Amino acid sequence: MRILVTGKNGQLGKSLHKLVSEKKYDNEFIFVGREEVDLSNNNSIINYFDNHDNHDKFDIIINCAAYTAVNKAEEEQELANQVNHLAVKQLAGIAKEQKARLIHISTDYVFDGTGNNPYKETDKTNPINIYGETKLAGEQALKEIMPANAMIIRTSWLYSEFGNNFVKTMLRLSKERDEINVVSDQIGSPTYATDLAGAILEIIKSKEFREENQTTQIYHYSNEGEINWYEFAKEIFELADIHCAVKPITTKQYPTPAKRPKNTLMNKAKIAKTFSVGIPDWKESLNTCITILKEQ
Ligand SMILES: NC(=O)c1ccc[n+]([C@@H]2O[C@H](COP(=O)([O-])OP(=O)(O)OC[C@H]3O[C@@H](n4cnc5c(N)ncnc54)[C@H](OP(=O)(O)O)[C@@H]3O)[C@@H](O)[C@H]2O)c1
């Protein structure tokens, strides 16, 4: 199978690349970034797929690329909408035409965070910021164009040894400050990008995924466990053996351009049951990531 992965320079793209490079896979993976396919530009997308070099069709397209700057999206609404919505619509059209499966990554920020129970895939969406709105619009466009043969995986609080994320920010700040204030009234589950990448590779191998003409489905995937950002920061320093005081503060005390949902814990039963993918505990995976970061 020929598998195209977009967003090769992002956290998830790099984590997929890491796993694919470590193990032998029968499939051919082609990783592309902004240089090859610019999702903010319709013509760039058309050109890439029309290009003679890429003439061979893809069997699976995994869209890991996204406009992920949550605060900046409040100002750059048009760009965020182009990358997270219109480009996804275009990719879905191409995937359908090529008879390729499309695996698209979405976010817990499609929810408003007011629920008391972990969100199920069928729960009502109601994004409270532009990033969430554009990601939801992408999901909806994908489902409309590809009612079959696609999959949306919503994830949350993604971190890895690559790129920018909360774990790396905390480690950097601990070198600059003795005390860090972190919000303690936003609840969710972190997701180690390697775990999500591993789950995607497991899904691709499964016979459930390969069955033709299956209705497009949404799945939730994060690590196991329920925490707030303050607890996350404390555990990062604990595991990294760093002495830095962490002070819990409220969201009100830390205003940001984009509103953040209070509780986006997700129910992962559907993905676990359908594909038997592993869902490691957040602390275990955080420890793995910190160990890798310490060795760098
Ligand atoms: N990060 C999180 O906490 C989080 C939480 C929930 C869901 N998600 C979702 O998970 C997926 C993966 O996230 P991630 O953390 O791996 O994101 P990331 O590290 O920010 O990577 C996103 C990638 O998309 C690429 N991209 C942005 N604009 C592009 C454009 N116009 N054309 C082509 N490529 C473009 C970026 O390219 P450059 O490297 O060139 O900028 C980057 O490599 C995304 O769908 C995201 O919405 C993330």
Side-chain angles (χ1 to χ4, degrees):
M1 287 200 298
R2 292 185 88 229
I3 303 173
L4 179 73
V5 181
T6 65
K8 74 171 179 190
N9 297 312
Q11 298 196 76
L12 185 58
K14 283 198 168 177
S15 302
L16 268 168
H17 189 264
K18 176 181 80 172
L19 292 187
V20 168
S21 316
E22 278 169 7
K23 274 193 200 160
K24 267 210 153 297
Y25 282 92
D26 297 336
N27 306 314
E28 180 190 357
F29 284 84
I30 297 112
F31 288 85
V32 291
R34 193 190 289 268
E35 317 80 82
E36 293 92 354
V37 192
D38 182 354
L39 298 185
S40 68
N41 181 333
N42 291 355
N43 289 333
S44 166
I45 303 176
I46 295 170
N47 288 344
Y48 178 76
F49 287 96
D50 281 354
N51 189 314
H52 196 67
D53 294 343
N54 311 308
H55 202 64
D56 287 338
K57 292 190 175 6
F58 297 103
D59 299 292
I60 303 172
I61 299 173
I62 309 175
N63 184 28
C64 300
Y67 181 106
T68 56
V70 177
N71 286 329
K72 228 169 146 194
E74 298 294 312
E75 281 170 33
E76 297 187 331
Q77 301 192 6
E78 210 175 309
L79 179 59
N81 189 55
Q82 168 59 39
V83 176
N84 292 344
H85 168 205
L86 301 177
V88 176
K89 188 174 175 180
Q90 208 179 338
L91 281 180
I94 290 165
K96 191 174 182 179
E97 200 182 290
Q98 297 210 349
K99 295 197 170 25
R101 300 290 166 90
L102 178 59
I103 301 179
H104 174 67
I105 312 302
S106 192
T107 173
D108 57 331
Y109 278 18
V110 296
F111 297 114
D112 61 18
T114 56
N116 293 319
N117 296 315
Y119 282 101
K120 287 189 186 157
E121 290 80 354
T122 45
D123 283 338
K124 190 175 166 287
T125 52
N126 183 30
I128 58 170
N129 57 41
I130 298 293
Y131 167 74
E133 274 177 27
T134 60
K135 291 291 288 184
L136 180 62
E139 288 187 6
Q140 288 165 342
L142 183 155
K143 282 191 290 180
E144 213 175 292
I145 296 197
M146 290 186 81
N149 295 325
M151 167 186 289
I152 295 162
I153 305 177
R154 293 187 186 135
T155 190
S156 60
W157 299 23
L158 208 61
Y159 71 91
S160 67
E161 51 274 30
F162 310 110
N164 296 319
N165 56 64
F166 185 77
V167 175
K168 290 176 74 180
T169 302
M170 286 300 117
L171 294 176
R172 176 175 52 79
L173 288 179
S174 71
K175 290 184 189 140
E176 299 163 8
R177 304 181 194 171
D178 299 327
E179 186 182 271
I180 302 174
N181 295 338
V182 183
V183 291
S184 61
D185 57 357
Q186 289 170 29
I187 299 164
S189 287
T191 308
Y192 181 35
T194 300
D195 292 336
L196 175 56
I200 293 172
L201 294 175
E202 280 301 310
I203 288 170
I204 288 172
K205 277 198 298 187
S206 71
K207 75 170 187 340
E208 288 78 10
F209 176 76
R210 292 185 183 203
E211 276 167 27
E212 286 292 326
N213 295 321
Q214 294 185 65
T215 310
T216 292
Q217 296 280 340
I218 299 177
Y219 296 93
H220 288 173
Y221 186 92
S222 70
N223 280 127
E224 208 56 82
E226 170 183 343
I227 55 164
N228 62 52
W229 291 107
Y230 159 75
E231 290 167 323
F232 195 22
K234 287 227 317 188
E235 193 63 27
I236 291 165
F237 296 142
E238 178 82 32
L239 292 172
D241 207 11
I242 288 172
H243 301 281
C244 179
V246 187
K247 208 178 111 196
I249 56 165
T250 62
T251 302
K252 242 187 172 162
Q253 290 173 295
Y254 187 73
T256 50
K259 277 198 219 162
R260 301 297 203 274
K262 285 257 180 218
N263 182 349
T264 58
L265 206 63
M266 295 190 296
N267 181 318
K268 280 93 58 183
K270 185 177 172 185
I271 200 164
K273 189 165 171 244
T274 313
F275 299 107
S276 310
V277 293
I279 305 187
D281 183 76
W282 72 272
K283 262 192 208 182
E284 191 188 308
S285 293
L286 177 61
N287 194 24
T288 308
C289 182
I290 299 259
T291 307
I292 295 172
L293 284 169
K294 276 209 255 174
E295 284 165 1
Q296 283 177 354

